[in-house]
Amino acid sequence: MVCIQNTETGKSKYYVFPQSEVTIKQELDLTDGEEYLLADWEGLNGIINENTSIASLNRLAEKMAQIPESYSNLTHDWVVHYGSIDAFSEEFNISDWTIIEVSRDEDFGEYLAKEVNGLKLPADMESYFNYQAYGRDNRLALNCVVSDTYYAWQ
């Protein structure tokens, strides 16, 4: 939810996006030339600011609707990865990303070593391989987007 405020009158209202810009302007009594600002928002810290446009919020909401709910906690980091809401909205395609359910560098390293690279260590050498360091190095090299439960990379 985002609270939009008419800067001239102080009138404000919370909206769930996507939302018609015409409807917002009518409800807030915004006329041509009058400005608005985003006065409050939930869950979008670091992605939007008080000057984010309604059009950008609509594009973000439409793109987020295409992302499975289970991956929604990656959205913030994906927007940061692309540099802006608009770049994310234009360029992001979930099929361009590999997403696995792991929560630690060690699990990520083990997945990459065994599943992706086919590493087969003899059982007596398994304990000597540092999956945590391997996972960390690959997380950084692959510029992974990480949440509490997923690692994603292109």
Side-chain angles (χ1 to χ4, degrees):
M1 289 185 66
V2 177
C3 180
I4 300 179
Q5 180 179 19
N6 180 327
T7 58
E8 298 288 324
T9 66
K11 187 175 184 179
S12 64
K13 184 176 177 185
Y14 278 90
Y15 294 93
V16 174
F17 284 84
Q19 187 66 241
S20 164
E21 191 165 353
V22 171
T23 300
I24 292 171
K25 287 183 175 184
Q26 287 174 344
E27 291 177 350
L28 296 180
D29 301 322
L30 284 164
T31 58
D32 289 339
E34 286 187 327
E35 295 184 7
Y36 63 87
L37 61 81
L38 306 187
D40 190 24
W41 51 85
E42 295 176 12
L44 300 171
N45 289 334
I47 296 176
I48 66 172
N49 61 50
E50 65 183 18
N51 299 311
T52 302
S53 71
I54 293 169
S56 291
L57 291 173
N58 280 325
R59 285 191 295 275
L60 177 62
E62 290 165 3
K63 187 58 77 169
M64 288 175 67
Q66 299 170 8
I67 299 171
E69 180 67 28
S70 59
Y71 301 148
S72 64
N73 57 352
L74 291 167
T75 303
H76 176 274
D77 292 319
W78 272 324
V79 172
V80 170
H81 174 83
Y82 284 94
S84 71
I85 291 172
D86 294 326
F88 169 74
S89 298
E90 290 175 23
E91 299 171 24
F92 178 81
N93 184 336
I94 197 156
S95 63
D96 294 340
W97 290 81
T98 301
I99 304 167
I100 61 167
E101 189 171 353
V102 295
S103 59
R104 304 175 308 154
D105 285 343
E106 182 175 0
D107 299 330
F108 183 53
E110 186 171 0
Y111 172 84
L112 289 175
K114 292 179 178 178
E115 302 297 325
V116 176
N117 298 327
L119 180 65
K120 291 182 177 35
L121 293 173
D124 61 335
M125 294 187 68
E126 178 92 19
S127 64
Y128 292 101
F129 191 81
N130 189 338
Y131 290 111
Q132 190 275 333
Y134 186 66
R136 180 199 61 237
D137 293 350
N138 277 281
R139 174 179 46 83
L140 296 171
L142 294 169
N143 198 21
C144 285
V145 172
V146 178
S147 75
D148 292 339
T149 53
Y150 295 101
Y151 277 47
W153 72 97
Q154 291 179 299

